[in-house]
Amino acid sequence: MKTKILKRLKENDNFISGEKLSQEFHMTRSGIWKYINMLKEEGYIIESIPRRGYRLTSSPDILTFEEIRKYLNTEFMGRNLYYFDSVDSTNNQAKKIASKEMEGTCLIAEQQVEGKGRLGRRWISPKKKGIWMSVILKPDMEPYNVGSITLLGAASVYKALKKMDIDSQIKWPNDILINNKKIGGILTEISAELNKINYLVMGIGINVNLDEKDIPDELKTKATSIKINENRRIDRKILLANILNEFESLYISFVNENSNSKAIEICRKNSATIGKEVKVRQGKEEKLGKALDINNKGELVVEFKEGHIQNIFAGEVSVRGLEGYI
Ligand code: BT5
């Protein structure tokens, strides 16, 4: 009911009387007043004038469906949206509900207290400063076909930022960089049988409006935020909707064409890795080489110092000059 009243207030630039609202929603005027107060507590500024009624004058910076819907032009991506004020990790929550939820379901939190990176690393996710979200996907494909899907997430973030005049680069396979520092990362988790995917959960974390003080000292040399770089606050609602819009369009072509070539091409063209000296860690082994290309399967093509060329599909890649590998 609260959402319906909010929607009605948003549709209307003028005052709506309490009388009218109570008729439309079949409840008493004090019932309406109770919901108006709940909205005010969430940060909505609602003017109320006796005999004229209520008028919404401003909305808070929160990433609920109600707040992003006007920027969203997707068919299914983000249409079913779970919103949390604070959560352990959106990926963890997504995995709990993934088997029963529809494809494109999105979980968004204003804050994560146990945000995760790859290999059990920590992902800092301060309140209302970023986009911390997970998307549930159920592609009807064999597991070996989705190896490059993380690149699809990275390409969507790249395109969404570009739309807002922000230049970024993609560090294969899951980092988004601005001016050589990390502003975003992707963590894809999969539940599958040998030849069938049950679901994928793609977690996307973007440092949008973090200030210097929000970045722990030990990360300062390698992490930054869009706000710090651009010297302006970024509208998280528009950025989030843009990411979902771009994501859906790339995902539909991936599934229909059974090829991730569009996303791979974006990652290739805007790569922070290709042409650079890299250190590849696979298991306990570390080898030095040069990244030559990203191939059509989304693998990184590396020429190792000993001379042989190998396609890397997983593992850790540090790029010389970035993230501590000098
Ligand atoms: C990643 O891992 O980059 C994947 C990050 C995925 C985060 C999203 S947020 C929504 C969803 N729910 C989750 O719980 N996770 C996903 P990796 O490449 O392993 O990088 C992790 C490393 O990045 C850490 O060890 C730190 O060095 C650094 N780091 C931590 N927090 C950061 C941040 N906010 N910005 C930039 N770097 C960070």
Side-chain angles (χ1 to χ4, degrees):
M1 184 54 70
K2 187 182 70 186
T3 324
K4 283 187 183 155
I5 294 175
L6 175 60
K7 188 161 177 264
R8 187 70 178 83
L9 291 174
K10 273 182 177 277
E11 284 163 1
N12 219 42
D13 287 340
N14 287 319
F15 282 91
I16 317 178
S17 70
E19 172 97 44
K20 197 159 182 212
L21 288 173
S22 73
Q23 277 166 8
E24 273 179 42
F25 294 108
H26 308 292
M27 63 164 73
T28 61
R29 285 171 69 167
S30 69
I32 296 287
W33 182 77
K34 202 179 79 197
Y35 285 112
I36 296 279
N37 275 342
M38 281 159 85
L39 289 168
K40 283 183 176 171
E41 265 167 38
E42 285 172 20
Y44 288 92
I45 313 260
I46 300 167
E47 263 185 282
S48 54
I49 295 185
R51 284 187 296 278
R52 292 188 74 189
Y54 302 106
R55 185 172 71 159
L56 178 66
T57 53
S58 94
S59 301
D61 175 24
I62 54 173
L63 299 178
T64 55
F65 181 70
E66 245 353 277
E67 287 305 313
I68 66 162
R69 70 187 303 158
K70 77 169 174 197
Y71 308 110
L72 201 62
N73 51 38
T74 59
E75 226 173 89
F76 59 95
M77 213 56 86
R79 293 276 155 192
N80 182 28
L81 192 149
Y82 286 81
Y83 172 80
F84 303 88
D85 184 49
S86 180
V87 81
D88 55 347
S89 143
T90 55
N91 264 38
N92 285 353
Q93 295 298 323
K95 285 190 286 181
K96 285 188 193 158
I97 58 170
S99 44
K100 65 173 177 56
E101 287 295 346
M102 63 181 249
E103 170 151 270
T105 296
C106 233
L107 292 87
I108 299 192
E110 297 294 359
Q111 173 189 40
Q112 296 184 116
V113 291
E114 281 171 50
K116 300 187 301 183
R118 294 175 302 164
L119 306 168
R121 297 186 195 119
R122 204 166 70 94
W123 183 259
I124 59 138
S125 323
K127 196 159 201 171
K128 290 192 175 171
K129 298 276 179 136
I131 292 175
W132 325 122
M133 75 157 161
S134 301
V135 182
I136 296 171
L137 302 169
K138 301 187 171 178
D140 186 13
M141 287 178 171
E142 303 221 347
Y144 71 85
N145 273 332
V146 297
S148 69
I149 196 143
T150 296
L151 298 183
L152 201 150
S156 315
V157 174
Y158 170 86
K159 285 192 81 183
L161 289 170
K162 191 82 192 160
K163 227 175 170 173
M164 298 173 82
D165 280 331
I166 299 165
D167 277 322
S168 63
Q169 283 197 303
I170 297 160
K171 179 173 159 268
W172 187 93
N174 75 314
D175 289 352
I176 315 295
L177 312 180
I178 293 185
N179 280 335
N180 292 340
K181 284 188 177 179
K182 183 159 170 170
I183 58 110
I186 296 170
L187 170 67
T188 312
E189 300 187 76
I190 182 166
S191 157
E193 288 157 36
L194 266 183
N195 53 4
K196 184 183 167 293
I197 295 171
N198 300 322
Y199 60 80
L200 287 161
V201 166
M202 189 183 293
I204 302 183
I206 316 279
N207 299 339
V208 186
N209 289 324
L210 281 79
D211 296 299
E212 286 287 359
K213 66 171 172 30
D214 300 313
I215 299 178
D217 285 344
E218 68 274 19
L219 293 184
K220 280 205 177 9
T221 54
K222 55 181 180 182
T224 187
S225 76
I226 308 175
K227 182 183 174 195
I228 293 170
N229 260 276
E230 294 282 308
N231 243 321
R232 62 179 165 118
R233 266 186 86 77
I234 303 297
D235 190 325
R236 293 188 308 147
K237 301 173 193 178
I238 298 181
L239 179 57
L240 170 59
N242 282 348
I243 294 173
L244 292 169
N245 294 341
E246 299 294 346
F247 194 96
E248 179 174 283
S249 132
L250 286 170
Y251 183 72
I252 289 176
S253 38
F254 174 49
V255 172
N256 289 351
E257 294 158 23
N258 202 12
S259 153
N260 200 12
S261 58
K262 286 204 175 95
I264 292 172
E265 186 56 22
I266 293 165
C267 293
R268 193 183 279 134
K269 276 202 175 134
N270 303 288
S271 171
T273 320
I274 296 174
K276 302 275 172 58
E277 284 187 46
V278 292
K279 184 159 74 181
V280 178
R281 195 177 316 120
Q282 288 177 306
K284 288 204 172 105
E285 221 192 336
E286 274 190 359
K287 288 200 286 183
L288 296 179
K290 184 176 176 188
L292 301 180
D293 197 4
I294 296 171
N295 70 16
N296 292 339
K297 290 188 196 154
E299 300 160 338
L300 190 69
V301 183
V302 177
E303 182 176 23
F304 286 106
K305 286 270 190 256
E306 318 88 80
H308 77 283
I309 293 179
Q310 200 186 325
N311 299 331
I312 314 284
F313 71 93
E316 284 277 280
V317 173
S318 321
V319 178
R320 187 172 190 139
L322 292 178
E323 286 203 18
Y325 169 48
I326 304 293

